[in-house]
Amino acid sequence: MTEQKNTFYVTTPIYYPSGKLHIGNAYSTIAADAIARYKRLMDYDVYFLTGTDEHGQKIQTKAEEMNMSPQAYVDSMAEEIQALWQTLKITNTNFIRTTEPRHKAAVQEIFQKLLDQGDIYLGEYEGWYSVSDEEYFTETQLSEVFKDETGKVIGGIAPTGNEVELVKEESYFFKLSNYADRLVAYYEDHPEFIRPAFRKTEMVNNFIKPGLEDLAVSRTTFSWGIPVKSEPKHVVYVWIDALVNYITALGYLQEDHANFDKYWPASVQIIGKDISRFHMIYWPIILMALDLPLPKQVYAHGWMLMKDGKMSKSKGNVIYPDVLINRYGLDATRFYLLREMSQGNDTVFTPEDFVNRVNFELANDLGNLLNRTIAMINRYLGGQVPTDAGERSATAFDEALESFVDEHVSSYHQAMDILAFNEALDAVMQVVSRANKYIDETEPWILAKDETQLPELKSVMYHLAEVLRMVSHLLRPFMPDTPAEIFTQLGIAQEQERNLAELQWGQFPEGAQVVAKGEPIFPRLDVEEEVAFIQGEMSGGQSSQGTSVDDPNWQPEDVELVYEETPAVDFDQFIQVEIKVAEVIDVAPVEGSNKLLRFRLDAGDKGHRQILSGIAKAYPDYEALIGRKVTIVANLKPRKMMGYISQGMILSAESDGQLSLLFAPEDSENGSLIG
């Protein structure tokens, strides 16, 4: 009878299909793929789930803007995301879509169960709602509030930077507060549940201690969602709909529930830190209410940032996985992302770091170790790896190398068990560096000159080949292709069949013949050229432009402005205006004027436009406007003011002499037409 394997169930967040995924978005899935590959190699029975979250007001609005049905829109986006996973060689077992009938039926049954047992009740909700975040906020949670002349709050900005609107509607509510004490007790009894551990402190201090408010779990102001079975005018709120995918994908409340019985609870659920609250508070409470076991661990990683903050297409600081893959290869891209992101903390991406990481660690350290080893085995031993221990004689450095490898293989496994991928890769690269040092210590080119030292030379060649074999195995969870290429060059392609659980020193296959001429697995990159390339891709080909209003290379008069429907107009033709969304790239006072500010704006043109606006007194802290989305009259005929070209007008409102800019929603695309 075959021995039953231990199971391992890993999930990613399901992605909201509202745009192309950048490297920060893709990290969760690459990380989940790395641990899934590792556990398979450690002889686990792995189930790996990813998917798309396809309901909600934002999706419905986006589809309407594109003159598509919501279903047609999410179909196209889900196809694009799955194509990206194929490009990244993601080895997911299943891809769940929340528009699938199997999921929708289970969600309705879950909602009804919670309603019937009194965890959900019908009430009325009034509060501040962010369409972009699909989330409600209390007034105290808003990072900024807007008030009218009477002091009444009329709007605001969510902590995410997105604008909120006042929503009043009938809604079903989930009694979160009933489970608060039980949840805290679970945290204390299961310290491994939340990782990194500091996220638990955030959950308790920021959300649970102030008091968990009952959660609105249905909406009536839009229809794109799963209707509540007993009250179809309500659609199930996205956070119940989305969260339960982790169990509906396994067959929960379905005729075939074998996978649920086998794999639940999840071994680890990997998420980005921005959705920690939903997975560390709402999700475990839902499971408690359903009387189901909680996942063994929820792991929230940090963000992949740019020097100027979060990645944003409108900021010109986004880099997409396919760009890096097409230029530098899949393995270099995956290696960089998993090597750079430290456990739970944010990481800053720079083109320089990417190019240097590829050059120093992959081309120089690993690539050179392979090239030198292949070349020396060919030159000194006719290409034959000396696997016969009887023909070898140990050097004074062999034992230290073997001990170093054993120690770092142990560190590697410890790091993988806690999802510290950067630490695991650090252990691997330390072994590579140590092997390069071993070459300098043993000086095989000198040993080769003395026939009496042939046994020592063979020992050196064996140790180098064995290090490369070990390193290649350790890289398999991170790099889909490179290990096989190294095995092939070493003449041991059959090593792909070996798993990590049985890996140890001294297993190099007998009779191996290395290739006659090794091929570089990672060619060295030209730093200046490749940094310029990545910068150009990040800024949509505008990397030669700076972002300052004082950039000497920026000539706004030469920028080709884009008009959607009408040509440039004079003031008396204002009725034909085109109002667009523009992002403030930079802003500075106009010398000689106490009223004017000079804005550099991304309004979807073929370059950045410039607008002068007389709002300096209203915004003395004008630098706070950088990154905000404003509304502009885009097709106003350009005119000179104080010696500067002004290519449009920024819209503002005046009340009792106080000017206020008219901001656009933060998730609006630059250049999108308003009206």
Side-chain angles (χ1 to χ4, degrees), residues 504-576:
Q504 58 185 356
W505 184 270
Q507 298 170 320
F508 203 98
E510 294 181 4
Q513 181 84 23
V514 301
V515 294
K517 182 174 174 53
E519 293 293 330
I521 49 175
F522 293 103
R524 185 170 175 80
L525 305 176
D526 181 290
V527 176
E528 186 175 344
E529 179 181 341
E530 298 310 323
V531 167
F533 169 79
I534 297 173
Q535 287 175 337
E537 291 297 319
M538 288 164 57
S539 62
Q542 297 180 29
S543 61
S544 62
Q545 296 185 350
T547 58
S548 167
V549 292
D550 296 315
D551 176 15
N553 294 318
W554 178 44
Q555 301 296 327
E557 294 92 338
D558 297 333
V559 172
E560 183 179 342
L561 305 183
V562 177
Y563 305 126
E564 298 295 329
E565 298 171 358
T566 60
V569 296
D570 293 313
F571 283 102
D572 58 358
Q573 297 174 294
F574 190 68
I575 194 171
Q576 301 176 23

Side-chain angles (χ1 to χ4, degrees), residues 110-120 174 240 289-290:
I110 288 168
F111 193 97
Q112 194 62 45
K113 174 181 172 62
L114 297 174
L115 182 62
D116 291 345
Q117 65 191 35
D119 284 308
I120 289 177
F174 190 107
I240 282 188
L290 293 172

Side-chain angles (χ1 to χ4, degrees), residues 42 56 78 90 152 226 319 325 345 350 553 566 575 580 650 655-656 662:
M42 293 299 289
I90 303 301
K152 180 183 177 183
I226 300 173
I319 190 72
I325 292 167
N345 298 313
T350 70
N553 294 318
T566 60
I575 194 171
K580 287 185 175 183
I650 300 176
S655 177
D656 294 332
L662 300 182

Side-chain angles (χ1 to χ4, degrees), residues 236-537:
V236 179
Y237 183 45
V238 65
W239 282 111
I240 282 188
D241 175 5
L243 286 167
V244 300
N245 89 89
Y246 303 124
I247 53 178
T248 62
L250 294 177
Y252 178 66
L253 295 180
Q254 295 160 58
E255 186 175 341
D256 182 1
H257 50 79
N259 282 333
F260 177 78
D261 297 339
K262 182 178 183 180
Y263 293 104
W264 189 258
S267 305
V268 61
Q269 300 202 259
I270 297 176
I271 60 170
K273 69 175 186 179
D274 51 321
I275 52 175
S276 294
R277 173 165 41 125
F278 307 103
H279 286 79
M280 296 173 182
I281 296 178
Y282 300 167
W283 178 223
I285 285 178
I286 291 170
L287 290 167
M288 287 175 176
L290 293 172
D291 197 25
L292 292 175
L294 274 57
K296 296 173 186 176
Q297 187 174 106
V298 178
Y299 175 84
H301 62 75
W303 287 336
M304 181 70 71
L305 302 174
M306 294 301 191
K307 286 181 178 177
D308 53 351
K310 288 183 69 175
M311 288 191 197
S312 165
K313 182 179 178 183
S314 57
K315 283 185 179 179
N317 69 356
V318 170
I319 190 72
Y320 297 107
D322 54 319
V323 170
L324 297 178
I325 292 167
N326 292 339
R327 182 85 168 187
Y328 310 108
L330 172 61
D331 284 7
T333 302
R334 286 177 54 125
F335 176 86
Y336 172 82
L337 294 175
L338 294 165
R339 181 81 166 98
E340 286 296 310
M341 184 74 82
S342 59
Q343 235 194 347
N345 298 313
D346 294 339
T347 298
V348 176
F349 173 91
T350 70
E352 294 84 359
D353 285 346
F354 179 87
V355 174
N356 287 335
R357 184 69 78 182
V358 172
N359 274 347
F360 295 152
E361 292 198 328
L362 298 183
N364 287 4
D365 292 350
L366 179 60
N368 280 347
L369 177 62
L370 176 64
N371 294 342
R372 294 170 78 185
T373 300
I374 296 293
M376 288 189 293
I377 292 175
N378 275 311
R379 183 180 306 122
Y380 304 141
L381 302 176
Q384 190 79 29
V385 179
T387 54
D388 186 348
E391 296 180 355
R392 305 193 304 261
S393 182
T395 74
F397 305 98
D398 292 0
E399 185 178 348
L401 177 63
E402 292 174 24
S403 297
F404 189 92
V405 172
D406 286 344
E407 176 188 330
H408 284 74
V409 168
S410 177
S411 297
Y412 167 91
H413 287 299
Q414 292 171 17
M416 292 300 289
D417 283 341
I418 60 171
L419 307 186
F421 302 119
N422 62 315
E423 294 177 18
L425 283 169
D426 184 62
V428 176
M429 297 315 298
Q430 284 192 49
V431 171
V432 171
S433 296
R434 183 64 186 84
N436 279 313
K437 181 183 177 183
Y438 173 79
I439 295 176
D440 296 333
E441 291 172 335
T442 56
E443 299 179 316
W445 50 89
I446 294 178
L447 296 176
K449 294 177 181 178
D450 184 350
E451 288 187 7
T452 66
Q453 292 188 304
L454 180 59
E456 286 81 0
L457 177 63
K458 287 185 175 181
S459 184
V460 172
M461 294 300 103
Y462 177 82
H463 277 73
L464 293 175
E466 181 65 348
V467 164
L468 282 164
R469 184 188 72 88
M470 297 279 287
V471 162
S472 298
H473 276 294
L474 299 178
L475 287 174
R476 289 172 70 188
F478 306 99
M479 296 177 155
D481 301 323
T482 299
E485 293 178 23
I486 295 176
F487 290 147
T488 298
Q489 292 200 35
L490 291 172
I492 52 172
Q494 69 271 28
E495 276 295 295
Q496 280 287 102
E497 304 303 315
R498 191 189 302 276
N499 66 32
L500 275 176
E502 63 186 35
L503 181 66
Q504 58 185 356
W505 184 270
Q507 298 170 320
F508 203 98
E510 294 181 4
Q513 181 84 23
V514 301
V515 294
K517 182 174 174 53
E519 293 293 330
I521 49 175
F522 293 103
R524 185 170 175 80
L525 305 176
D526 181 290
V527 176
E528 186 175 344
E529 179 181 341
E530 298 310 323
V531 167
F533 169 79
I534 297 173
Q535 287 175 337
E537 291 297 319

Side-chain angles (χ1 to χ4, degrees), residues 9-16 21 25-36 47-53 81 85 90-96 242-243 245-247 249 266 268-272 275 279 283 297-299 301:
Y9 178 31
V10 57
T11 70
T12 74
I14 51 173
Y15 296 88
Y16 208 62
L21 300 184
N25 303 135
Y27 177 81
S28 296
T29 301
I30 296 171
D33 186 64
I35 196 63
Y47 197 100
F48 171 16
L49 178 69
T50 185
T52 42
D53 172 12
I81 290 172
W85 294 165
I90 303 301
T91 58
N92 54 297
T93 314
N94 195 353
F95 188 96
I96 179 76
L243 286 167
N245 89 89
Y246 303 124
I247 53 178
V268 61
Q269 300 202 259
I270 297 176
I271 60 170
I275 52 175
H279 286 79
W283 178 223
Q297 187 174 106
V298 178
Y299 175 84
H301 62 75

Side-chain angles (χ1 to χ4, degrees), residues 217-234:
V217 291
S218 74
R219 298 293 306 275
T220 58
T221 52
F222 62 90
S223 59
W224 183 241
I226 300 173
V228 174
K229 214 169 186 178
S230 57
E231 193 68 53
K233 72 175 183 178
H234 288 261

